[in-house]
Amino acid sequence: MVFNSLTFIVFFACVLVLHHLPLGWTTKKVNLLIASYLFYAAWNPPFVILLWISTVVDWWAAKKLADAVEPHRRRAWMLLSVVVNLGMLGYFKYGGFLMENFTALMGAAGIGYQPPKLDIVLPVGISFYTFATLSYTLDVYLRRARPASNALDYALFVTFFPHLVAGPIMRPTELVPQFATPRQATGDQLRFGLALMVLGLFQKVVLADGFLAPAAEAVYDNAAVVPGTLDAWMGTLAFSGQIFCDFAGYSTTAIGAAMCLGFAMPDNFRFPYAAVGFSDFWRRWHITLSAWLRDYLYIPLGGNRHGVSRTYFALMATMLLGGLWHGASWTFVVWGGLHGLYLAGERMLRARWGHWRPGPFALFLLGLLTYTLINVTWVFFRAQDFGQAWSVLRGMAGANGAAEPILDTPALTMVALIVAGLVIAHWLMRTSTLESMLARRHPVPLAAALGGMAFAIAATQGAGNAFIYFQF
Amino acid sequence: MPSSISSSDAILAPTAPGVIAADGVAAPGASLFERPGFVRLTASDRPGVAQPVPERDIPPQPWGRILLGALLLFLALMAAWENQWRQFGAQPGYRNSNGAWAEQRRRIATGEGDRTVLIGSSRVLFDVQLDQWQAATGERPIQLALEGTTPVPVLEDLAADPAFTGRLLVGVAPDLFFSGFAYRGAAIKHYHQQGPSQRIGHWLSKHALEPYFAFYDPDFALPTVLERQPWWPLRPELRRHMDVRKLMVLGADRDTHLWSKVETDAQYRALAQSIWAQHFTGPPPPPMRTPEGRAALFGAQVDRAAKAVAVLRARGVPVVFVRPPSDGAYYAFEQAALPRAQTWDLLLQRTGAPGIHFEDHRALQGLELPEWSHLTHADARRFTTALAPLVVREFERQDHARQQAAATATAARTP
């Protein structure tokens, strides 16, 4: 189920009540585990089996590899986990894509191959829980952590509903220890958790779905539309705001929900549109994914400790695979490749001009440049195909001169106000946290803002749209 | 020494805040981008290590009083918002959601597949009143018409469903049926893919919110209301396109009628007419700009319908097409852009199914259509009372013909 649904309100209320009943800690954990399976099964019940497979395989593989002494045995158990997890991910997420490309390749070679019709439904959240469970066996294999001592705690780590389908991608060392001792939210944790949930749902329901998505859809959802300069930029800026509010909204709601139950989850966003440079951007955007890719892909590929060429190779490979992780399409690969090029370019510039200290104005301009170049990458992320991506990019460059206008004044105004507000807020808070900002405010405006956001959520009447990252 | 995930002693990485290169080495010029005052480390600051249990701060504020204040403000704003829409003339009612359509569509799979089913666009939805139909025929049909949408995909969906063995009325609003436009086309996909959480969500909405709140209507959603304020300047060269405003009042089983405000509020009625009028001027959509393109488009829709009707009739489902009335500028537009000979007549000819056109029946004429496309509630009742026997007669003729054909076939096989 989605956080922005009536079903979730009832579900979460039941979970909160159960969690606050005077029951034993093990009983409460069993309640949470069952609730998490229900949360997942509410989408598509049969796919719970995949969760179970992933949980059981990684639990046993980690246990066996921790007990094994010979390196080849340890490697074999680790590989079993990797193969099973990536195999499931590959089949469900990339099966159709691989078949399409194979067919195209055969066609290019003059062979008219007719592929069998693959009607594979992507199990929601499979990328997220696959990465979470993989990090468990890999951490045990790399001797960073010992295996969990309790199967219930491990199963709950995999399935814990706040992070299950769209992250933040948690590591076992972040969550399993929290199940070791009884957890119940204090009064302030419960209240602040609820406040975070209101903020997260406001981002998703009001800003992303209510005001920004329609403008992005008007520009990107009709392949026949050729946008002029203003529409191409505003459609893309709308999407940049939409995807942030959608995903950061999910993370904030998830963090708030976990906090209401007495658990802590890590930040997944840190005001990314105030990034100065692309390495800074990736330390601020979808932090748990970028850190996962760094720890389990970039560093094992050699990182920056084996010479310049190897560094650039590792960087590009990581970003290309990161792009492919987002979706089985070459446009996502180009999106990742562009970020790889940006990161490589930034590394070169730093090697050359690392001594330069920009003043506040130059820093702001660099931030603006970073945001502009990130918007160029969003075109490939959002476009349905390369033809549309080029059309929008041509529009952004002012080359679609005779294009008819698309967005009306209300849409243009709303996008401009929301995106400008978002970027300014990120810039003002770039060296801070939400909590430190809230601590400095008078309670009255805080209450007014929360009440206003709750009203806007109800008045927007969200249609329970799925979160964008559910498709990845 | 490996850290255990059953404790939180796993911090092995540099912990000082600041810019760290991707694999843990401080980047050149890192101090440029340091974030003094950052109070919480994340995984991005701790490369290549097992991550510790995160810590979350609670800002020192009186959160109890803040939430109470927020709740009071929320309730006050909601009360004002609800009052605003009640003053506007709205009453609590059911939402015409995909969930509501799926609920009715599901009845076919759960033991009611032998019912009369109504499909079509908004004219069948608004003009055919289920109470009057039930009074006239003894049966309450399943209402599956979708506003702004050609019924052809629904026709195909029912043809592909062996559980449907009843009788089918297909409404024809020419500009939708023959163009293939499907504003609510997602409803069919929603029915087939609806998960348990969506079904529960629909049930909660239908029972806990819809009967009590007038504001809970997509037409009164905050972004919609803001967007249609008259004070927005018009963007040069952009044709202003107004979306359809609230026109209907929906019952629990999608028994629907025209909203009384359209009948009683002259300004609102004029607004509804001006929204339809947007389609009557300017160039038609690209496939309809040439006579050849039009003919090809109409032919394609009719062929799809004919194929589906053939499947249904082979299964013993009688099908009747109905062309409900239209009026004023809307009727004039239909006469000019979608002449009967090229649309309705072609449909009946290729499908071989009977049709009831309002122009052919005096009992279906002389009714009031305030915004040219839908009947007033009172006239919808009169229309239904007159229409139902005509449709049932056509159903019975088809049943009779089928029985005769079966009897003839049996007789031919008898030695």
Side-chain angles (χ1 to χ4, degrees), chain B residues 165-330:
Chain B
T165 57
R167 300 167 162 201
L168 187 62
L169 182 158
V170 185
V172 178
D175 54 337
L176 296 167
F177 191 103
F178 299 103
S179 70
F181 186 71
Y183 165 67
R184 293 288 309 280
I188 303 168
K189 191 177 171 192
H190 182 85
Y191 162 67
H192 288 288
Q193 297 184 350
Q194 197 180 26
S197 62
Q198 289 167 314
R199 287 178 65 170
I200 296 167
H202 166 66
W203 189 91
L204 288 169
S205 174
K206 186 173 174 180
H207 292 89
L209 296 178
E210 292 170 27
Y212 307 108
F213 297 106
F215 84 89
Y216 193 49
D217 182 302
D219 196 46
F220 308 144
L222 187 61
T224 309
V225 173
L226 269 176
E227 193 192 341
R228 70 181 183 215
Q229 292 306 310
W231 34 260
W232 291 106
L234 196 60
R235 186 177 169 192
E237 296 172 41
L238 185 71
R239 245 184 108 201
R240 183 163 197 163
H241 176 84
M242 287 185 290
D243 290 329
V244 180
R245 303 284 160 80
K246 178 179 170 63
L247 291 178
M248 70 177 88
V249 174
L250 200 80
D253 61 353
R254 299 188 82 246
D255 185 18
T256 306
H257 60 81
L258 191 69
W259 187 22
S260 58
K261 191 176 178 71
V262 188
E263 301 175 22
T264 56
D265 184 331
Q267 205 178 350
Y268 198 75
R269 183 166 62 242
L271 175 69
Q273 289 174 343
S274 66
I275 290 171
W276 299 141
Q278 293 175 127
H279 306 293
F280 307 156
T281 56
M288 292 175 70
R289 285 186 188 165
T290 62
E292 298 77 25
R294 251 194 329 266
L297 183 65
F298 295 168
Q301 295 304 315
V302 168
D303 285 345
R304 284 176 64 185
K307 206 170 154 188
V309 167
V311 173
L312 286 163
R313 296 182 82 178
R315 202 161 65 223
V317 175
V319 179
V320 175
F321 289 99
V322 172
R323 163 68 159 94
S326 52
D327 196 12
Y330 212 135

Side-chain angles (χ1 to χ4, degrees), chain A residues 1-2 6-7 10 41-45 136 139 143-149 170-174 176-178 180 183 188-189 191-192 194-196 206 210-211 230-231 255 259 264-267 270 276 280 282-284 287-288 291 294-295 298-299 302-305 347 350 354 356-358 363 405-410 412-414 430-433 435-436 438-443 446-448 450-452 454-456 458-461, chain B residues 1-10 12 18-25 27-67 69-71 73-74 77-78 81 95 193-202 204-205 209 215-223 226-229 232-241:
Chain A
M1 66 186 79
V2 284
L6 293 172
T7 315
V10 173
W43 276 101
N44 198 336
Y136 172 64
D139 273 1
R143 299 187 195 283
R144 288 182 191 150
R146 281 192 289 269
S149 56
M170 293 193 76
R171 312 280 180 92
T173 47
E174 291 176 310
V176 175
Q178 298 191 50
R183 292 235 164 195
D188 267 354
Q189 273 181 318
R191 290 186 277 267
F192 185 55
L194 289 173
L196 284 178
V206 181
F211 287 103
L230 183 62
D231 290 305
I255 291 165
M259 190 180 281
M265 285 172 60
D267 282 349
R270 212 154 55 176
V276 176
D280 191 25
W282 281 106
R283 279 187 300 275
R284 293 167 176 274
I287 293 167
T288 54
R294 177 199 63 200
D295 289 348
Y298 175 73
I299 293 175
N304 62 5
R305 295 181 180 177
R347 188 172 272 270
R350 283 191 174 180
W356 182 50
R357 300 285 182 274
L363 205 65
I406 300 167
L407 300 173
D408 57 15
T409 320
L412 291 173
T413 311
M414 290 297 172
R430 66 188 300 272
T431 58
S432 180
T433 60
E435 288 85 346
S436 61
L438 293 177
R440 292 194 297 271
R441 294 289 171 275
H442 193 274
L446 288 184
L450 269 179
F455 164 71
T460 298
Q461 310 175 27
Chain B
M1 182 69 184
S3 61
S4 164
I5 58 171
S6 56
S7 69
S8 57
D9 62 350
L12 299 176
V19 170
I20 306 291
D23 58 352
V25 180
S31 59
L32 285 179
F33 304 103
E34 277 182 0
R35 299 182 290 274
F38 229 105
V39 295
R40 183 167 53 239
L41 294 175
T42 71
S44 70
D45 305 304
R46 294 176 286 225
V49 296
Q51 298 299 312
V53 171
E55 290 179 15
R56 298 222 64 98
D57 318 299
I58 308 291
Q61 291 281 7
W63 286 107
R65 277 186 284 146
I66 288 173
L67 279 197
L71 180 67
L73 178 64
F74 168 73
L77 289 170
M78 288 312 304
W81 192 244
R95 281 165 74 100
Q193 297 184 350
Q194 197 180 26
S197 62
Q198 289 167 314
R199 287 178 65 170
I200 296 167
H202 166 66
L204 288 169
S205 174
L209 296 178
F215 84 89
Y216 193 49
D217 182 302
D219 196 46
F220 308 144
L222 187 61
L226 269 176
E227 193 192 341
R228 70 181 183 215
Q229 292 306 310
W232 291 106
L234 196 60
R235 186 177 169 192
E237 296 172 41
L238 185 71
R239 245 184 108 201
R240 183 163 197 163
H241 176 84

Side-chain angles (χ1 to χ4, degrees), chain A residues 239 243 281-282 285-286 289 293 319-327 329-342 373-382 386 469 472:
Chain A
F239 180 66
I243 193 166
F281 176 75
W282 281 106
W285 180 275
H286 201 348
L289 172 71
L293 292 172
M319 294 315 294
L320 289 170
L321 286 169
L324 198 58
W325 176 87
H326 279 86
S329 163
W330 290 108
T331 51
F332 286 112
V333 178
V334 169
W335 171 80
L338 270 178
H339 272 285
L341 288 175
Y342 287 169
L373 291 173
I374 282 165
N375 272 290
V376 172
T377 70
W378 285 138
V379 173
F380 288 96
F381 198 94
R382 181 61 174 82
F386 285 112
Y469 264 70
F472 299 140

